[in-house]
Amino acid sequence: MFAQAAFVWLCVTLLLSKTAARYEANWASLDARPLPSWYDEAKFGIFVHWGVFSVPGFGSEWFWWHWQGQPTDPKYVDYMKQNYPPGFTYAEFAPQFQAQFFDPEEWADIFQSSGAKYVVLTAKHHEGFTNWQSPYSWNWNSVDTGPHRDLVGDLGEAVRNRSLHYGLYNSLFEWFHPLYLADKANGFKTQDFVFHKLLPELYNMVIRYQPELIWSDGDWEAPDTYWNSTHFLAWLYNDSPVKDTIVTNDRWGAGCSCKHGGYYNCADKYTPGVLPNHKWEKCTSVDTASWGYRRNMKMFELMDLPGIIQDLVTTVAMGGNYLLNVGPTPDGILPPLFEERLRGMGAWLGVNGDAIYGSQPWRVQMENTSLPIWYTSKGTSVYAFLLTKPPTATLKLSAPLTSETTTVTLQGQGLSWAPLLPSGLIVLLPELPFTPGQAWMLRLDSVQ
């Protein structure tokens, strides 16, 4: 009896010590935090770039910087000269950001229909305008001007009502904020912007909206010590209301990218050449020329559905998550071509999602015997993706090791196959069903 009681006491002690463990404000401690499992299982998310930059809708979401930053871009300067009166300021775009057709329920329905498991909205981009009533951004937020709505809160409620995870993008720096410019002029030896604007606003955002993901950006001009990143993350992981579920990326200071943080972005549209040893995410945009809405975007500049699905499959096969961006109009409409791409993704995932969600990289990520084949795995099943329609009715897979109980199926239909030596198999394919995504998945069971 005593031994049993001692064992129970030991288990309780170990449990309490584990739950009481706290992360210190240094990268060695913070980087040791396990990534919450929901993120790796989700695989596919939607990115939304929306803000005052959507109003001019020209060039990219960096409009203000290209127009009035250093150096200026003649295309943006000419655009303003041709379309707006002399003396027009960027701040005058804000009242035109009205979001009058924004229906968060409709957006959330589209996102859910896409098959995405999480949504990340720009809470604040580099222009400093916040899509909620930040008490640290007076009159430069979506409640005091423009839409006169809490965009962050409204979309968050709709997304969560559909059991999707909700994340927020936040830029650390602001191009023209006077406190930031003063710190920059001082070589970042002062931190007035950090302690009077950035950090209070971040704490407010987390406590108010309790996001499950923070997509940090705008870090590259200063080290993490200037941003006070490790102290913020220690609070986030130890004491915040989302300490057990929060996921963060790697953009927390110059030199941190692809080195520190929860998962790695490394760079926009990053694609590794080999299987990384750390969880990563590829973020990319349906509009290949911009993250924000552009009035002048062309059809040939948009990713097509087969290209998006190929990008998703290759990313997941390499252990990554895929974050696909759309840029709504300033009045709150998701452009129909964006919606078409998202619904097409959902239709394809409705058939092939078992090979994506919750999957893991297999021992072989890709082979190129008869045509490129990408692999994922889950439990005892291996999934082979064909991203090109085979030219013949036979398909050779060289990587799998077969057994007498091996089965190969396509959408539940058993296929005939024959083993190869020393490894691999030849599969007899039926007429592949039509799919706008131009990608097919074979399920292999009892293979190694």
Side-chain angles (χ1 to χ4, degrees):
M1 179 65 72
F2 176 82
Q4 184 179 10
F7 177 74
V8 171
W9 177 86
L10 178 61
C11 290
V12 171
T13 301
L14 290 173
L15 180 63
L16 289 175
S17 64
K18 183 177 181 180
T19 58
R22 294 179 63 82
Y23 297 97
E24 299 176 4
N26 61 70
W27 288 120
S29 178
L30 297 170
D31 289 344
R33 176 181 182 260
L35 195 69
S37 60
W38 74 261
Y39 178 77
D40 181 53
E41 294 168 0
K43 303 301 182 185
F44 175 43
I46 301 298
F47 214 176
V48 184
H49 273 68
W50 198 31
V52 172
F53 52 79
S54 306
V55 176
F58 176 82
S60 80
E61 70 287 349
W62 278 57
F63 183 93
W64 193 5
W65 179 258
H66 291 314
W67 172 34
Q68 294 186 316
Q70 295 294 328
T72 58
D73 186 319
K75 296 192 299 292
Y76 294 78
V77 174
D78 290 343
Y79 179 82
M80 290 303 298
K81 286 181 179 179
Q82 294 168 10
N83 295 282
Y84 294 91
F88 190 93
T89 66
Y90 189 80
E92 291 178 85
F93 283 126
Q96 301 177 41
F97 178 44
Q98 296 183 356
Q100 63 267 41
F101 300 126
F102 171 50
D103 183 347
E105 299 295 329
E106 182 180 44
W107 282 25
D109 281 341
I110 295 171
F111 298 154
Q112 184 180 43
S113 296
S114 77
K117 300 300 183 183
Y118 62 107
V119 175
V120 180
L121 173 69
T122 45
K124 184 193 74 171
H125 201 258
H126 311 322
E127 63 190 13
F129 186 91
T130 62
N131 279 329
W132 86 98
Q133 193 173 26
S134 165
Y136 304 94
S137 190
W138 179 81
N139 210 36
W140 191 233
N141 66 74
S142 66
V143 176
D144 290 341
T145 188
H148 297 289
R149 290 182 66 174
D150 180 357
L151 304 179
V152 170
D154 289 351
L155 183 60
E157 181 179 2
V159 162
R160 285 169 164 153
N161 284 342
R162 288 156 181 80
S163 298
L164 303 180
H165 299 276
Y166 190 47
L168 295 174
Y169 167 108
N170 180 79
S171 174
L172 297 178
F173 86 148
E174 298 177 22
W175 288 314
F176 301 110
H177 196 290
L179 291 180
Y180 179 73
L181 294 178
D183 286 347
K184 186 175 180 179
N186 291 331
F188 299 111
K189 294 178 182 178
T190 55
Q191 294 176 283
D192 289 337
F193 173 76
V194 173
F195 290 117
H196 295 288
K197 177 63 162 66
L198 171 65
L199 287 179
E201 194 163 72
L202 266 175
Y203 289 125
N204 177 269
M205 185 184 79
V206 170
I207 292 170
R208 183 167 182 176
Y209 299 106
Q210 301 188 20
E212 293 175 90
L213 188 153
I214 293 180
W215 213 101
S216 184
D217 196 16
D219 62 315
W220 55 84
E221 290 192 344
D224 62 273
T225 50
Y226 168 74
W227 303 115
N228 216 42
S229 298
T230 57
H231 292 273
F232 170 73
L233 290 173
W235 170 82
L236 192 67
Y237 295 167
N238 290 325
D239 301 311
S240 78
V242 290
K243 61 185 177 64
D244 297 323
T245 58
I246 190 68
V247 171
T248 63
N249 65 344
D250 57 353
R251 301 186 183 189
W252 295 101
C256 288
S257 184
C258 227
K259 185 177 179 182
H260 296 302
Y263 65 86
Y264 294 167
N265 288 125
C266 298
D268 290 352
K269 305 184 181 182
Y270 171 73
T271 300
V274 296
L275 181 67
N277 59 8
H278 194 281
K279 183 64 187 181
W280 64 285
E281 177 187 77
K282 179 172 185 176
C283 62
T284 193
S285 185
V286 175
D287 180 356
T288 61
S290 177
W291 301 88
Y293 169 71
R294 292 188 304 138
R295 302 175 189 275
N296 58 328
M297 65 182 177
K298 308 296 184 183
M299 178 75 80
F300 70 87
E301 296 171 319
L302 305 183
M303 295 182 72
D304 61 15
L305 183 60
I308 293 171
I309 290 174
Q310 178 175 332
D311 219 12
L312 169 72
V313 168
T314 56
T315 297
V316 173
M318 295 291 283
N321 275 26
Y322 190 63
L323 188 63
L324 182 65
N325 177 77
V326 292
T329 67
D331 50 14
I333 297 295
L334 287 174
L337 284 174
F338 292 174
E339 179 180 348
E340 184 267 344
R341 300 296 194 272
L342 296 186
R343 292 193 184 277
M345 285 290 285
W348 186 86
L349 284 165
V351 175
N352 302 284
D354 283 348
I356 298 293
Y357 305 122
S359 66
Q360 297 295 322
W362 193 43
R363 60 176 176 81
V364 174
Q365 285 75 62
M366 191 272 282
E367 65 167 84
N368 198 6
T369 306
S370 51
L371 74 166
I373 306 291
W374 290 84
Y375 291 99
T376 64
S377 65
K378 185 193 296 181
T380 59
S381 299
V382 173
Y383 303 93
F385 290 93
L386 289 62
L387 303 181
T388 301
K389 192 170 185 177
T392 66
T394 58
L395 176 69
K396 180 180 178 181
L397 306 178
S398 62
L401 302 174
T402 63
S403 68
E404 293 182 357
T405 59
T406 293
T407 59
V408 182
T409 57
L410 171 69
Q411 294 185 17
Q413 175 187 352
L415 305 182
S416 299
W417 64 275
L420 295 173
L421 294 176
S423 66
L425 67 158
I426 291 181
V427 180
L428 181 62
L429 296 173
E431 179 64 29
L432 294 177
F434 171 77
T435 169
Q438 299 179 28
W440 299 265
M441 179 269 290
L442 301 179
R443 174 172 171 167
L444 289 68
D445 289 295
S446 297
V447 298
Q448 296 180 2

